[in-house]
Amino acid sequence: MPSHTPARPQSLPGSLQAVLFDMDGTLVDTERLWWEAVEQVAGRPLTEADQPDVLGRPVEHTAAWLAPATGRPAPDLAADLHREFAERVRAGIVPRPGALDLLDGLAAAGVPTALVTASPRAVADVVLDALGATRFAASVTADDTARTKPAPDPYLAACRALGVDPAACVAVEDTETGVASAEAAGCAVLAVPSLAPIAPAPGRTVRDTLAGVTEAELRRMAASGLRVLSWNLWLGGSRVDDHRAKQLRVILDSGAEVVGLQETGGTATEELAGALGWHHHRAGENLGILSRHPITARFGDPDVGFHGAAGVRVATATGREVDVWTVHLHYTPYGPYEAVLDGLAADELIAHEETRLTQMRDALRHIGETSTDGVPVVLVGDFNCPSHLDWPEVAWPVTRAAADAGFADSFREAHPDPAVEPGHTWSPIHPVHEDGSGRPEPQDRIDYVLHRGLTVLDSRTVVTGTPRPWPDVAHNTWPSDHAAVLTTFALPLR
């Protein structure tokens, strides 16, 4: 397990809550030692083509990769790799330029740090002793999580150990494998390549060295994005055991800073906000918004009822204000059923969207009445209808109305091809239609994070675990019948 006990996440909006350091090649010059160890065990010089299976990889991966070429069992190769690398590490560890100065600067500023490495605990402890184990509040090694880099598990484990939100952390990495792990966990990344180049990307800063990097610079990196989650809680989550605790874990692990909720079951908004220590806005029995950042204004009818829209204005750490609205539209008649199961033509499908279209136009009118020049708007929700961007043969009018009002679809910006990345949100627990016919349930994308005036860094659907299908859902880790949608936006400093 990680060397720290998980703590309740802090709720300081916008602060740099922690800096998470890779070890090999980032803090200490061990990448070359690892390279030499692999060459010794492989019995040949390595080339650039070997880098993806060597750099940033756990011992077990590299051993399995070497096994076919060497004709030796992977466990034996792993033992030899451990031995060769540990001997080289003990012979002399050289800190990377600027590494110790940055660690000292973070300590002086009161910013906690963690070591997050794909190396085994035995090797990490040797490095920790050399650097000073007290410099780090926690450490996560290849021995501590079921999956290691490039999976997000090591960085998520470090954040839980420190009690911080991934979105408020900066990960410092030197390989593409490590960068992929940190970004998948939701961290901002400072990449300092050691042996192989790393390209700049949204939400990622690339430097040649850690020399001269300051706590203030890392703080700006952590504050440069806004992570928004849209989530239908499915009647408050009441169909799943221990649903409130599971909802909290989803929100914390996602790194979301603002959450637009639908089907709150009346009390979920207040209860989740209280447990998180966040700000919130409840509207009626069904809608709510949670925010790590202060809420400076509330919009819409607070007694909106079950369907409708509600909004807030949040003041982010960058000094920018952003309006966030959550919308829930009526669920019948349901277009995917009519299209796939009933075979209705496009003109009939469009005609049957009138109720939802009226509700969307009403939401857009409220947004127009409360919008302020220069303040971006995020519109999230369960629209209960497909997108015109996903069905080229049907011009679904609800999403078109939002597009005509200037709203862009963040998920389709990040994943333009629906055939490659369909992004289905309905439904992770309904593989089969409920009418008893045995027909497959039409899967579709009906939950959205739209925006006007921001830049999309990333967008993805969120489902935890492998949910069992309805009706055997009580013990599911995922406490909803919808997938959630999580989008990270660039939020420039003023």
Side-chain angles (χ1 to χ4, degrees):
M1 296 295 291
S3 64
H4 240 259
T5 302
R8 183 174 181 269
Q10 301 172 9
S11 58
L12 299 174
S15 63
L16 173 63
Q17 293 187 358
V19 180
L20 315 173
F21 287 93
D22 172 58
M23 184 179 77
D24 302 322
T26 300
L27 284 176
V28 291
D29 193 9
T30 55
E31 286 288 8
R32 297 184 189 280
L33 302 180
W34 171 242
W35 190 264
E36 293 169 4
V38 176
E39 287 186 323
Q40 178 67 29
V41 174
R44 66 170 177 85
L46 299 178
T47 69
E48 185 176 343
D50 299 318
Q51 289 178 352
D53 290 295
V54 177
L55 297 182
R57 293 292 189 174
V59 171
E60 291 73 18
H61 175 96
T62 303
W65 168 71
L66 286 174
T70 61
R72 298 179 58 200
D76 292 350
L77 290 167
D80 287 351
L81 288 168
H82 275 300
R83 185 185 65 256
E84 292 289 342
F85 184 53
E87 288 176 357
R88 286 167 171 79
V89 168
R90 292 188 184 95
I93 296 174
V94 179
R96 298 284 289 172
L100 297 183
D101 287 342
L102 179 56
L103 286 168
D104 290 343
L106 292 168
V111 178
T113 60
L115 192 72
V116 184
T117 177
S119 293
R121 171 63 62 185
V123 173
D125 284 345
V126 173
V127 175
L128 284 168
D129 287 343
L131 292 176
T134 57
R135 293 181 183 273
F136 301 94
S139 61
V140 177
T141 74
D143 301 334
D144 299 325
T145 56
R147 300 182 302 171
T148 188
K149 304 174 185 180
D153 304 37
Y155 280 100
L156 292 175
C159 290
R160 286 194 292 270
L162 294 176
V164 297
D165 294 333
C169 297
V170 175
V172 186
E173 274 283 356
D174 74 308
T175 66
E176 289 186 348
T177 302
V179 167
S181 173
E183 290 181 342
C187 302
V189 171
L190 171 61
V192 186
S194 56
L195 294 180
I198 299 173
R204 181 191 309 166
T205 303
V206 181
R207 295 280 187 271
D208 293 333
T209 175
L210 288 178
V213 175
T214 64
E215 175 265 342
E217 184 177 0
L218 296 177
R219 190 174 297 279
R220 287 193 294 271
M221 293 178 196
S224 64
L226 180 68
R227 196 168 273 109
V228 180
L229 184 75
S230 179
W231 196 10
N232 181 311
L233 295 183
W234 190 22
L235 302 175
S238 56
R239 302 296 181 91
V240 177
D241 296 342
D242 200 22
H243 54 275
R244 196 70 79 228
K246 292 173 181 177
Q247 291 165 349
L248 286 167
R249 177 50 54 203
V250 168
I251 292 169
L252 292 172
D253 284 351
S254 74
E257 298 162 84
V258 182
V259 184
L261 300 172
Q262 309 90 41
E263 292 196 30
T264 61
T267 62
T269 303
E270 295 96 330
E271 291 175 9
L272 289 169
L276 292 164
W278 288 13
H279 309 273
H280 74 280
H281 172 47
R282 171 182 173 175
E285 61 182 295
N286 178 49
L287 296 174
I289 299 175
L290 309 171
S291 176
R292 286 184 61 245
H293 305 286
I295 292 174
T296 60
R298 291 169 169 81
F299 307 126
D301 181 1
D303 299 317
V304 65
F306 196 82
H307 297 106
V312 299
R313 181 164 293 172
V314 298
T316 73
T318 66
R320 295 292 303 270
E321 291 183 313
V322 178
D323 289 351
V324 180
W325 286 77
T326 183
V327 171
H328 191 204
L329 307 183
H330 205 280
Y331 67 97
T332 59
Y334 186 54
Y337 289 169
E338 294 188 316
V340 177
L341 303 181
D342 302 333
L344 266 61
D347 57 345
E348 294 177 280
L349 296 171
I350 291 171
H352 289 182
E353 290 294 311
E354 191 59 37
T355 296
R356 280 183 289 271
L357 181 58
T358 299
Q359 292 171 340
M360 175 56 78
R361 286 173 172 163
D362 189 55
L364 294 171
R365 177 179 58 81
H366 282 300
I367 292 171
E369 291 171 350
T370 57
S371 293
T372 300
D373 288 344
V375 176
V377 182
V378 179
L379 172 61
V380 313
D382 172 10
F383 293 1
N384 272 311
C385 65
S387 170
H388 65 288
L389 299 176
D390 298 351
W391 290 56
E393 69 277 19
V394 182
W396 296 102
V398 172
T399 55
R400 283 185 63 90
D404 291 343
F407 284 92
D409 186 327
S410 66
F411 188 86
R412 276 291 159 253
E413 285 191 71
H415 310 282
D417 189 344
V420 174
E421 189 65 61
H424 294 154
T425 60
W426 181 266
S427 163
I429 67 163
H430 288 292
V432 178
H433 194 50
E434 286 188 42
D435 65 358
S437 65
R439 294 178 293 179
E441 176 76 359
Q443 301 294 304
D444 220 304
R445 189 170 70 99
I446 63 173
D447 300 81
Y448 300 89
V449 177
L450 310 182
H451 75 97
R452 189 170 67 194
L454 292 170
T455 300
V456 175
L457 299 179
D458 181 56
S459 186
R460 59 186 175 92
T461 57
V462 177
V463 175
T464 56
T466 304
R468 286 180 289 272
W470 174 264
D472 184 25
V473 299
H475 300 299
N476 279 349
T477 301
W478 183 250
S480 178
D481 57 350
H482 288 244
V485 183
L486 178 68
T487 296
T488 303
F489 296 103
L491 199 60
L493 292 166
R494 282 192 169 181

